[in-house]
């Protein structure tokens, strides 16, 4: 309603333009047509126009307030004409209303630079609110910030990106005082299925917002235990100004949020395109947008990346401290953090002062970590933390521990998200050839560098198989498959879990291969060994559905276990077993024992060999396959 009121007010104002102003507006519009400014890259990115499959363009902005013409979302020429005429509006800026020159300040300043507005015929309006906002930011540099994947949140399981605006007076020690530009979905507390459906279909509104950077660091690093990578960009002052002018235009504007394409990362790339239109960053993602891929696009653009800074999460710092502490002291610190051993207990007093100080510091870090992660909510927690600080203050200073080392491979330097596999083998004694495609983005056998250890997030995993005696068929259509293997240690006990659903083929007693729907998930615990090894066990449940079953749907319950280890930096081994029994008539067991290994050949090529033995609903068979995999 507000947008309609403003549009009507603008049209009325235009209708009452003096004859001289109307003549000059028409003159500018005619020159814009002659220069075909509506086709220029600068205008296209400022209005977020996207090419359509059937021809023409449409703006990604879904808010009428973003346009000056009723059909401006689809017609760049008409929108440019209406915008030029809107600049003659006599509206005076107040706390709640802006003149179009200020409301669309990026468009105004670009068109002014191209058409060389005559200030006597088109007086420039003072944009007090914008100038005060910009002065508060005092922009000097811009950084793209990438908090790594947070697998426990559907909206952030692929990671997230935001922009940080660094002030001229800030340095590395005061960077937390900068401001961050964020784009996110305005979600609600809908259940998981509704949340996923609305996220995929654009059912949520997405908007830009700005907040102090330390707020986002607290959210990502402290609360969600996500490492943060800061990619400082080499933007010129004029480019930073264009970016901020465009952010000002986008402040209240709604975009339909799509988790797969028009998400946080895509929209932030659009800001960089506005700052430097010849980047064409958003053009590189016509189908889906994975945050890691957008960071890679920025890092791979010549002349855009200035430097990269690693900011470890609180959990990363805690794990690093544990590695540097004797196991007996770690166990003692855990007891102190839990409150079962007092800071003044004899077990601590008997330790040398330096070791006692280390135990108290580790206990404090553990308790504070659990408080921030909302795993420790007792009313006595502040008093316990204070008691640990007081006990530590009575001891002499000790040398600071070295910070966690920066990972040797940054997130954007890992393998690419999409994967194409070609291979073949034998199944149930019959040869086959298979083509696989995965849209995104990592599984437990993929090359690890650049990705979170123990995480698997696959979306859109398709396989087409040709069996010599059965022809060409869709073998698998896995919609989503997510696994989080989080090893326990002496201080933290995270829960490991998995969830998947989709369609896959099984084998029936009559030698046919029916397609069934399956959904399964589980939770349990994991441990680590030999630096790169993980082992886990889970209680699992599942659902199968097919016309072959009686009844057509059956629920199952069982156990799953697995192990993964890197035998060399390029060679990984994965073994797992899973067995569930379902409530269906007749044979009801579904069991698989599998062994897989992957050898990395080059950065974008890997060789994978898999073998499994299955028993499903009374039919037993084995499969062996080898695949050449290309990441792109």
């Amino acid at each position: 309603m507000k947008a309609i009121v403003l549009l009507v007010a603008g049209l009325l104002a235009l209708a009452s333009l003096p004859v001289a102003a109307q003549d000059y507006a028409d003159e500018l519009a005619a020159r814009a047509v002659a220069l075909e400014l509506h086709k220029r890259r600068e205008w296209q990115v400022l209005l977020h126009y996207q090419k359509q499959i059937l021809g023409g363009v449409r703006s990604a902005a879904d808010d009428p307030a973003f346009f000056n013409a009723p059909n401006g979302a689809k017609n760049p020429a008409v929108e440019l004409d209406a915008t030029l005429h809107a600049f003659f509006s006599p509206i005076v800026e107040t706390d709640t209303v802006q003149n179009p020159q200020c409301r669309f300040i990026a468009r105004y300043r670009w068109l002014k630079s191209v058409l060389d507005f005559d200030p006597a015929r088109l007086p420039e309006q003072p944009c007090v609110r914008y100038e005060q906002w910009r002065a508060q930011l005092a922009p000097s540099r811009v950084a793209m910030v990438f908090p790594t994947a947070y697998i426990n949140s559907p909206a952030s399981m692929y990671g997230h990106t935001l922009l940080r605006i660094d002030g001229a007076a800030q340095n590395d020690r005061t960077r937390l005082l900068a401001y961050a530009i964020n784009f996110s979905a305005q979600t609600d507390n809908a259940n998981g299925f509704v949340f996923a459906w609305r996220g995929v279909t654009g059912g949520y509104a997405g908007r830009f917002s700005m907040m102090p950077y330390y707020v986002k660091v607290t959210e990502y690093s402290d609360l969600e235990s996500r490492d943060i990578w800061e990619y400082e960009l080499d933007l010129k002052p004029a480019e930073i100004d264009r970016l901020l002018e465009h952010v000002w235009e986008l402040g209240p504007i709604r975009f339909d949020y799509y988790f797969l394409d028009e998400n946080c990362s895509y929209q932030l790339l659009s800001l960089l395109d506005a700052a430097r239109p010849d980047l064409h960053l958003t053009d590189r993602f016509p189908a889906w947008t994975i945050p890691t891929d957008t960071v890679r696009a920025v890092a791979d653009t010549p002349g855009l990346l200035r430097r990269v800074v690693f900011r470890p999460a609180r959990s990363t710092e805690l794990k690093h401290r544990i590695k540097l502490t004797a196991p007996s002291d770690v166990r003692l610190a855990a007891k102190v953090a839990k409150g079962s051993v007092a800071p003044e207990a004899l077990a601590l007093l008997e330790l040398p002062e330096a070791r006692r100080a280390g135990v108290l510091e580790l206990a404090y870090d553990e308790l504070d970590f659990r408080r921030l992660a909302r795993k420790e909510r007792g009313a006595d927690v502040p008093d316990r933390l204070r008691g640990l600080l007081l006990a530590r203050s009575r001891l002499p200073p000790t040398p600071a521990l070295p910070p966690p080392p920066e990972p040797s491979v940054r997130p954007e330097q890992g393998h690419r998200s999409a994967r194409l596999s070609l291979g073949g083998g034998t199944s149930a004694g019959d040869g086959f050839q298979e083509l696989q495609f995965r849209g995104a983005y990592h599984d437990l056998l993929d090359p690890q560098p650049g990705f979170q250890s123990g995480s698997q997030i696959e979306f859109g995993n398709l396989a087409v198989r040709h069996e010599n005696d059965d022809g060409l068929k869709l073998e698998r259509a896995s919609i989503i498959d997510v696994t989080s293997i989080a090893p326990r240690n002496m201080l933290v006990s995270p829960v490991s879990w998995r969830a998947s659903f989709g369609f896959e083929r099984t084998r029936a007693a009559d030698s046919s291969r029916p397609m069934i729907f399956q959904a399964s998930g589980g939770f349990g615990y994991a441990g680590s060994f030999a630096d790169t090894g993980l082992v886990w066990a889970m209680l699992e449940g599942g659902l199968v559905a097919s016309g072959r079953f009686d009844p057509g749907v059956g629920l199952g319950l069982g156990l799953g276990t697995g192990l993964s280890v890197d035998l060399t930096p390029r060679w990984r081994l994965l073994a797992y077993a899973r067995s569930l029994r379902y409530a269906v008539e007749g044979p009801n067991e579904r069991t698989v024992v599998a062994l897989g290994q992957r050898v990395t050949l080059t950065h974008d090529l890997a060789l994978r060999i898999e073998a499994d033995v299955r028993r499903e609903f009374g039919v037993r068979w084995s499969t062996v396959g080898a695949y050449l995999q290309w990441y792109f």
Side-chain angles (χ1 to χ4, degrees), residues 355-413:
R355 284 182 61 189
R356 195 191 323 164
V359 169
L360 291 171
E361 291 173 2
L362 182 55
Y364 178 89
D365 288 345
E366 155 65 3
L367 182 57
D368 196 43
F369 170 76
R370 293 182 63 82
R371 176 187 66 84
L372 291 170
R374 299 185 180 93
K375 296 179 180 179
E376 194 82 35
R377 302 186 180 185
D380 63 334
V381 170
D383 291 335
R384 289 162 56 192
L385 289 170
R386 192 178 304 110
L388 290 170
L389 288 177
L390 288 173
R392 175 62 185 88
S393 69
R394 300 187 186 103
L395 298 172
T398 56
L401 293 177
E406 179 178 318
S408 58
V409 177
R410 302 197 301 259
E412 84 282 4
Q413 294 173 332

Side-chain angles (χ1 to χ4, degrees), residues 449-521:
F451 290 82
Q452 183 180 358
S453 176
S455 68
Q456 171 172 300
I457 306 174
E458 291 194 295
F459 186 89
N461 196 342
L462 304 176
V464 177
R465 176 181 294 186
H466 175 268
E467 285 201 359
N468 296 344
D469 291 339
D470 199 27
L472 182 67
K473 290 184 177 180
L474 178 66
E475 185 70 17
R476 181 176 61 255
S478 176
I479 300 171
I480 193 166
D481 192 339
V482 182
T483 300
S484 174
I485 306 299
R488 307 176 73 186
N489 58 46
M490 285 180 280
L491 290 179
V492 293
S493 301
V495 174
S496 296
W497 61 274
R498 61 169 297 272
S500 70
F501 66 95
F503 297 88
E504 58 187 46
R505 290 199 180 275
T506 186
R507 292 185 181 272
D510 60 3
S511 298
S512 63
R513 297 199 307 124
M515 181 75 79
I516 66 171
F517 173 82
Q518 74 83 28
S520 63

Side-chain angles (χ1 to χ4, degrees), residues 24-37 80 84 111 114-118 121:
Y24 189 46
D26 293 341
E27 178 185 327
L28 290 175
R31 286 168 54 195
V33 171
L35 294 172
E36 295 189 323
L37 295 186
L80 196 150
L84 285 170
L111 288 170
V114 177
L115 297 174
D116 191 21
F117 295 158
D118 183 349
R121 302 176 70 185

Side-chain angles (χ1 to χ4, degrees), residues 511-569:
S511 298
S512 63
R513 297 199 307 124
M515 181 75 79
I516 66 171
F517 173 82
Q518 74 83 28
S520 63
F523 62 90
Y525 290 101
S528 60
F529 64 95
D531 291 333
T532 64
L534 294 173
V535 59
W536 63 92
M538 296 186 188
L539 175 66
E540 301 203 9
L543 176 147
V544 291
S546 171
R548 295 277 184 136
F549 301 139
D550 184 16
V553 177
L555 298 177
L557 187 65
L559 297 173
T561 185
L563 175 149
S564 71
V565 62
D566 288 338
L567 302 177
T568 74

